[in-house]
Amino acid sequence: LWNMLPPSTARYVRVAVDPNDQVFEEDEKTGAVSNNTKEVKIPFPELAPILSFNSTTGKVEGRIENQGDLNTSAFIIKYEWFNNTGGSAGTQQTWVNEGVAVGVAYPIMILPPISATGLQFTVDHTFQIAEWEESNNIQNVPLVDISAADQPIKKKVKKPKF
């Protein structure tokens, strides 16, 4: 049996049996394409943050989903809060000691600092978990009620009486 770990950056393993066509096979008589090669996806966890600001509660709410093929071990969540000038309004970290199982969501609900107007949320910023895709671990969350901001302001206009 083959017993070798692939490099940490590998995402697929391609195995070829008889790559130099040394063995004559039955399907080769008909000129069919040989089935001597198999490509296998290497299973990885895939953490994905899905967050938004709830203007009713004043909290950032959402979840981290494991959309991959393997459960994760422990990892750290990093919260970087920003004020209206883009300066820092504080930083927090939270350990997720139990990890996240495949198909399970880890709930997030946090009250921002009073001076914060934005959040940069990072899952596994220390790269403890090897994932299928590392570039989707950051989500920026504006701390405004977007639905209210998109509504036109209605002014009452008095009609003159004649």
Side-chain angles (χ1 to χ4, degrees), residues 93-134:
Q93 293 187 8
T94 303
W95 269 97
V96 180
N97 291 319
E98 65 277 7
V100 179
V102 173
V104 173
Y106 179 85
I108 301 293
M109 184 180 292
I110 189 165
L111 189 62
I114 292 173
S115 62
T117 58
L119 165 65
Q120 185 173 71
F121 182 89
T122 307
V123 177
D124 189 33
H125 74 284
T126 58
F127 300 103
Q128 301 273 22
I129 309 296
E131 297 178 69
W132 182 258
E133 177 59 57
E134 294 286 358

Side-chain angles (χ1 to χ4, degrees), residues 1 13 28 38 40 54 81 88 94 98 105 107 137 154 159:
L1 264 189
V13 173
E28 292 173 346
K38 179 74 173 177
V40 179
N54 183 329
W81 304 100
S88 176
T94 303
E98 65 277 7
N137 288 2
K154 295 180 182 178
K159 291 183 182 180

Side-chain angles (χ1 to χ4, degrees), residues 147-155:
S147 61
D150 289 341
Q151 301 300 318
I153 298 172
K154 295 180 182 178
K155 286 187 175 182

Side-chain angles (χ1 to χ4, degrees), residues 16 37-38 41 44 47 50 74 76 112 114 124 145 148 154 156:
T37 303
K38 179 74 173 177
K41 178 183 172 187
F44 281 93
L47 295 172
I50 302 167
I76 300 172
I114 292 173
D124 189 33
D145 183 358
K154 295 180 182 178
K156 289 187 177 183

Side-chain angles (χ1 to χ4, degrees), residues 157-162:
V157 178
K158 289 186 177 183
K159 291 183 182 180
K161 294 182 182 180
F162 295 102

